[in-house]
Amino acid sequence: MSATSKTDQKAALDIASWLFNVVTSVGIILVNKALMATYGFSFATTLTGLHFGTTTLLTTFLTWLGYIQPSQLPWPDLLKFVLFANFSIVGMNVSLMLNSVGFYQIAKLSMIPVSCLLEVVLDNVRYSRDTKLSILLVLAGVAVCTVTDVSVNLNGFLAAAIAVWSTALQQYYVHYLQRKYSLGSFNLLAHTAPVQAGSLLLVGPFLDYWLTNQRVDAFNFSFISLFFLILSCSIAVGTNLSQFICIGRFTAVSFQVLGHMKTILVLVLGFTFFGKEGLNMQVVLGMLIAILGMIWYGNASSKPGGKERRSLSIPITKAQKLNGLSESAESDGKV
């Protein structure tokens, strides 16, 4: 296969991976909005535990069928990943409760600079001036769209800081573990989903009671709310898988930048399906700025020197040594 054909094939797979992530992520946000806002199932942490429980069932079934091959992930690395991931989920939920929506959005935007810092410090990545400016333009556009009232308190600030750093570390760690242990997306999900499901289903009901003053076991399910719960869990399998696929193919920073396209899509679809309240020139202007920033980022980061890793900071396993050339070629093609 020629170099041009390989490049075209990689580009097609990148686009397909990203579209898979966008469709499942936007879909689950809209379904969860209906489930929580319309039908009153406001138990976010427990719901996330159910999502990972459903994912565990699927990965166990696929392993039994032989579609997921046995792989190794040491317990210390697995527990560190689950710790980061669960602190991310809990931190976000607590941050949303303690902070204004405006500060919550600012905290989410700050994940990109934190992810950049992790890549610079841990992977010795260097960004060009245009790449840095394009990231700032994306952040400015999304901020114009979403940030309204901004008020903060000490407890809310601490919750947001924990959420931001744990989310950035979790996303960096996805890429790190896939490279270090040569794990595919399904393999990594098969290792992490059962532990996340168990821990979140154990902690979730208590945390949700503290956040909402309601007990999940006392929730009165209707047929339609149960339907939306099952639909949410089903879509979550694709969302969890697509996150690992995208971070494995790209990097945590690119995943965050492109992720703000989902924010724009959610706003547009929200205005379309749930009414145009809140739609004004400020929101439209912010959307346009963010989209321009994303286009600029894609162009700047793909140029020579736009974003490059000077040296790898992770140890090389025997499996990677055997496939060194193919791994290097794939890593060099990431944006």
Side-chain angles (χ1 to χ4, degrees):
M1 187 181 290
S2 67
T4 304
S5 299
K6 287 183 178 180
T7 302
D8 291 342
Q9 184 181 36
K10 180 185 182 304
L13 288 173
D14 287 347
I15 292 171
S17 300
W18 183 245
L19 286 175
F20 180 36
N21 180 258
V22 168
V23 169
T24 54
S25 298
V26 173
I28 199 169
I29 288 171
L30 295 176
V31 169
N32 286 351
K33 182 179 176 67
L35 178 63
M36 293 181 172
T38 307
Y39 300 105
F41 190 86
S42 56
F43 311 102
T45 309
T46 303
L47 180 61
T48 307
L50 292 172
H51 288 168
F52 282 106
T54 309
T55 304
T56 300
L57 292 177
L58 177 66
T59 55
T60 302
F61 181 63
L62 291 176
T63 301
W64 179 68
L65 290 177
Y67 287 108
I68 299 178
Q69 298 302 314
S71 58
Q72 296 295 321
L73 179 59
W75 268 101
D77 284 325
L78 174 59
L79 292 178
K80 276 191 284 187
F81 174 87
V82 171
L83 185 68
F84 295 147
N86 286 358
F87 265 105
S88 168
I89 293 164
V90 172
M92 282 296 178
N93 290 339
V94 175
S95 174
L96 185 58
M97 181 189 76
L98 297 178
N99 295 313
S100 66
V101 174
F103 185 78
Y104 175 77
Q105 291 293 346
I106 288 177
K108 288 178 66 177
L109 292 175
S110 68
M111 287 179 199
I112 290 183
V114 172
S115 295
C116 287
L117 178 63
L118 288 176
E119 288 193 353
V120 168
V121 173
L122 300 177
D123 278 351
N124 202 20
V125 170
R126 293 296 179 264
Y127 297 91
S128 69
R129 183 180 62 108
D130 280 359
T131 303
K132 294 174 185 176
L133 290 174
S134 67
I135 290 173
L136 290 175
L137 190 62
V138 172
L139 294 176
V142 177
V144 170
C145 279
T146 59
V147 176
T148 51
D149 61 309
V150 179
S151 59
V152 63
N153 57 76
L154 179 60
N155 290 337
F157 178 82
L158 291 175
I162 291 171
V164 167
W165 277 96
S166 57
T167 301
L169 283 165
Q170 182 251 346
Q171 292 184 354
Y172 172 83
Y173 221 54
V174 168
H175 196 61
Y176 172 87
L177 292 176
Q178 286 183 320
R179 284 186 293 143
K180 182 177 180 181
Y181 296 109
S182 300
L183 293 172
S185 302
F186 266 116
N187 293 109
L188 185 56
L189 201 57
H191 285 293
T192 59
V195 185
Q196 281 193 265
S199 55
L200 288 173
L201 288 175
L202 184 65
V203 174
F206 300 100
L207 179 65
D208 288 333
Y209 179 76
W210 176 57
L211 293 173
T212 66
N213 204 30
Q214 297 179 48
R215 289 172 46 183
V216 64
D217 60 309
F219 183 77
N220 186 22
F221 281 101
S222 63
F223 174 79
I224 191 69
S225 63
L226 187 59
F227 168 78
F228 272 101
L229 178 63
I230 294 172
L231 182 61
S232 175
C233 290
S234 302
I235 297 174
V237 175
T239 306
N240 292 331
L241 176 62
S242 66
Q243 182 190 29
F244 285 8
I245 291 174
C246 284
I247 296 177
R249 295 192 67 82
F250 308 112
T251 62
V253 173
S254 292
F255 182 73
Q256 283 285 346
V257 172
L258 294 172
H260 286 303
M261 179 60 79
K262 293 180 287 188
T263 302
I264 304 301
L265 283 173
V266 169
L267 284 172
V268 171
L269 292 173
F271 291 136
T272 302
F273 292 111
F274 299 104
K276 293 182 172 54
E277 182 182 353
L279 180 61
N280 52 47
M281 283 304 297
Q282 176 184 330
V283 172
V284 173
L285 176 64
M287 290 179 183
L288 292 175
I289 293 173
I291 290 170
L292 286 174
M294 290 167 200
I295 294 171
W296 188 10
Y297 175 82
N299 182 54
S301 63
S302 62
K303 288 180 178 178
K307 177 182 177 182
E308 56 187 9
R309 180 178 288 114
R310 300 288 176 85
S311 63
L312 292 176
S313 62
I314 61 173
I316 304 299
T317 63
K318 290 181 180 179
Q320 285 176 304
K321 287 180 181 177
L322 293 174
N323 298 289
L325 290 175
S326 60
E327 289 291 324
S328 298
E330 184 180 347
S331 178
D332 290 341
K334 289 176 182 174
V335 296

